[in-house]
């Protein structure tokens, strides 16, 4: 056990023992020893004879920062990066960390609510069966909804990418087919390869044909599709000099014949036009969006925010530990559709450049998806075309 003593030698004056420093910093002596071993908080002096640790009272602020960061659940390796930064950069890093925590919590909350709804509906169905087995048997023979005359739906769609006016290469990718709608916005040295690989990984998917899978099975299939895209991106950017700095966003919808399954990560977006109103149905995984969510940035300020487009989640080349990989997974959801719905998927080269009102007007005015994507790409160019653009438009129609 380290003993009391008060040696001199720090720039700020007298050094204090580990016990006294523990009292000042409100950290235990055991924690201080651990942080010393990890390089997070080195003592100002270690006695070469007896190994006793002594601290400068000026270190208290840094020690308290470590304690506070641990209290919000930040991993020790990330704390090491934060405490090495200046105050402004540390504040940005902490905000980005907490925004990611909130995004992950929101994703888990949405899944929990889906499970509650799913199990509640299943419970009502089972209760109904126990009270009226004959009617339940008839409903089973006419389809899960009990409606033998359900209208068959299909999607009619178009995709387009455009390099824009400023960029010299196109790292965006888009795809529109009878089973898959997808946009991806690549970044870094291997951005083009990453965006293409993410979409290509989803193409073979034939899950949910004719709406045959249950809601639970569909969610599992969406998770598997998202994992396949993540693996494909890692493989695609592995040859890069800095694979960790390359990756892509991904916003995709997979058609089951009766529902759309959504896979989303990053700041590309999906919108729904229904009843003349355009609704955004994805949530950006970005620092600016997190600042909007917590009220520290207004929508008007967000438009001209000077900081870089920092993503909190994306598909990247980095091979992450299992716990981190799970926390950074794509959002997955199921969406019920109606005949007459029109969906827009786009990269931020469109959504960041074109005003929301102009975006809605173009989507409403186009007679078909092919015209819509041409109008939208034209609007981005008229706005200066600062970035690549990827967009997909799909109409839900009664199947002929």
């Amino acid at each position: 056990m380290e003993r009391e003593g008060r040696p001199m030698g720090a720039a700020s004056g007298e050094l204090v023992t580990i016990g006294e420093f523990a009292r000042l910093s409100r950290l235990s002596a055991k924690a201080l020893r651990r942080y010393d071993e990890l390089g997070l908080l080195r003592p100002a002096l270690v006695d070469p004879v007896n190994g006793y640790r002594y601290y400068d009272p000026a270190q208290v602020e840094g020690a308290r920062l470590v304690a506070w960061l641990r209290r919000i659940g930040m991993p020790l390796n990330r704390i090491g990066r934060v405490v090495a930064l200046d105050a402004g950069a540390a504040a940005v890093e902490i905000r980005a960390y907490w925004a990611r925590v909130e995004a992950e919590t929101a994703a888990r909350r949405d899944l929990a609510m889906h499970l509650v709804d799913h199990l509640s509906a299943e419970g009502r169905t089972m209760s109904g069966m126990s009270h009226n087995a004959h009617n339940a048997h008839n409903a089973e023979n006419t389809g899960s909804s009990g409606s033998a005359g359900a209208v068959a739906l299909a999607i009619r769609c178009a995709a387009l990418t455009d390099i824009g006016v400023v960029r010299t290469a196109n790292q965006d990718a888009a795809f529109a087919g009878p089973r898959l709608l997808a946009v991806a916005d690549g970044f870094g040295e291997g951005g083009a390869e990453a965006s293409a690989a993410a979409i290509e990984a989803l193409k073979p998917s034939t899950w949910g044909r004719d709406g045959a899978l249950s809601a639970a099975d569909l969610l599992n299939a969406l998770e598997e599709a998202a994992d396949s895209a993540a693996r494909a991106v890692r493989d695609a950017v592995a040859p890069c000099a800095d694979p960790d700095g390359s990756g892509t966003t991904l916003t995709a919808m997979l058609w089951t014949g009766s529902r759309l399954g959504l896979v989303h990560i990053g700041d590309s977006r999906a919108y729904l036009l229904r009843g003349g109103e355009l609704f955004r149905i994805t949530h950006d995984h970005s620092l600016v969006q997190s600042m909007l969510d917590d009220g520290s940035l207004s929508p008007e300020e967000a438009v001209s925010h000077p900081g870089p487009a920092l993503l909190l989640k994306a598909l990247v080349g980095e091979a992450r530990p299992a716990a981190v990989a799970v926390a950074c997974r794509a959002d997955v959801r199921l969406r019920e559709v109606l005949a007459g719905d029109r969906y827009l998927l786009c990269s931020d080269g469109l959504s960041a450049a074109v005003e929301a009102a102009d975006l809605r007007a173009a989507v409403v005015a186009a007679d078909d998806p092919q015209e819509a994507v041409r109008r939208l790409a034209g609007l981005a160019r008229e706005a200066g075309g600062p970035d690549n653009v990827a967009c997909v438009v799909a109409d839900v129609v009664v199947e002929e």
Side-chain angles (χ1 to χ4, degrees), residues 174-197:
F175 180 83
R179 289 281 171 182
L180 173 66
L181 313 169
V183 297
D185 181 356
F187 55 85
E189 176 192 352
E193 292 80 6
S195 60

Side-chain angles (χ1 to χ4, degrees), residues 28-225:
S28 68
K30 181 179 178 180
L32 289 172
R33 294 188 191 97
R34 175 63 172 157
Y35 296 157
D36 178 13
E37 292 167 1
L38 295 173
L40 290 178
L41 189 63
R42 296 290 194 190
L45 174 68
V46 177
D47 191 302
V49 177
N50 54 34
Y52 295 163
R53 296 171 175 86
Y54 297 95
Y55 294 81
D56 189 328
Q59 293 178 275
V60 168
E61 186 175 351
R64 288 175 177 168
L65 176 59
V66 172
W68 291 329
L69 293 175
R70 286 297 290 154
R71 195 171 299 172
I72 66 173
M74 184 178 285
L76 288 171
N77 61 345
R78 189 160 186 169
I79 290 176
R81 295 199 301 270
V82 171
V83 297
L85 299 172
D86 60 49
V92 171
E93 182 72 12
I94 294 168
R95 179 182 289 281
Y97 166 76
W98 192 248
R100 177 172 288 179
V101 170
E102 290 184 326
E104 292 157 5
T105 302
R108 291 196 294 269
R109 180 195 63 222
D110 291 347
L111 178 56
M113 292 303 98
H114 171 81
L115 292 173
V116 168
D117 293 343
H118 170 67
L119 294 173
S120 298
E122 191 173 80
R124 289 193 296 271
T125 300
M126 294 301 294
S127 177
M129 287 179 67
S130 66
H131 285 88
N132 197 334
H134 177 71
N135 287 343
H137 175 74
N138 288 341
E140 183 179 353
N141 288 337
T142 57
S144 60
S145 66
S147 173
V151 175
L153 300 175
I155 53 174
R156 184 175 56 189
C157 53
L160 182 148
T161 65
D162 184 71
I163 194 171
V165 175
V166 176
R167 299 293 177 90
T168 58
N170 191 355
Q171 294 187 308
D172 283 10
F175 180 83
R179 289 281 171 182
L180 173 66
L181 313 169
V183 297
D185 181 356
F187 55 85
E189 176 192 352
E193 292 80 6
S195 60
I199 293 178
E200 194 65 30
L202 300 184
K203 287 183 182 179
S205 178
T206 57
W207 60 274
R209 285 196 180 279
D210 304 318
L213 296 182
S214 69
D217 288 338
L218 285 174
L219 281 173
N220 286 341
L222 285 172
E223 292 274 10
E224 290 170 6

Side-chain angles (χ1 to χ4, degrees), residues 170-346:
N170 191 355
Q171 294 187 308
D172 283 10
F175 180 83
R179 289 281 171 182
L180 173 66
L181 313 169
V183 297
D185 181 356
F187 55 85
E189 176 192 352
E193 292 80 6
S195 60
I199 293 178
E200 194 65 30
L202 300 184
K203 287 183 182 179
S205 178
T206 57
W207 60 274
R209 285 196 180 279
D210 304 318
L213 296 182
S214 69
D217 288 338
L218 285 174
L219 281 173
N220 286 341
L222 285 172
E223 292 274 10
E224 290 170 6
D227 290 345
S228 295
R231 288 192 297 271
V233 169
R234 287 197 296 272
D235 291 343
V237 303
C240 296
D242 180 20
D244 294 355
S246 295
T248 186
T249 69
L250 177 66
T251 300
M253 305 191 85
L254 294 98
W255 175 241
T256 71
S258 60
R259 283 179 286 197
L260 280 166
L262 174 67
V263 176
H264 169 69
I265 187 166
D267 63 355
S268 294
R269 294 180 175 180
Y271 296 85
L272 166 63
L273 179 69
R274 179 180 286 175
E277 294 298 323
L278 189 68
F279 306 95
R280 176 152 61 106
I281 58 175
T282 54
H283 196 76
D284 293 351
H285 300 135
S286 68
L287 180 59
V288 167
Q289 182 64 59
S290 74
M291 295 172 73
L292 282 167
D293 294 342
D294 67 20
S296 59
L297 201 65
S298 70
E300 295 75 23
E301 291 170 331
V303 173
S304 57
H305 188 264
L310 178 61
L311 292 177
L312 302 179
K313 292 204 294 184
L315 302 179
V316 296
E318 179 183 8
R320 293 162 167 156
V324 177
V326 169
C328 295
R329 295 176 88 169
D331 297 342
V332 297
R333 291 184 181 83
L334 297 177
R335 295 199 60 85
E336 301 297 331
V337 299
L338 298 176
D341 285 349
R342 172 169 283 182
Y343 287 88
L344 164 65
L345 281 62
C346 66

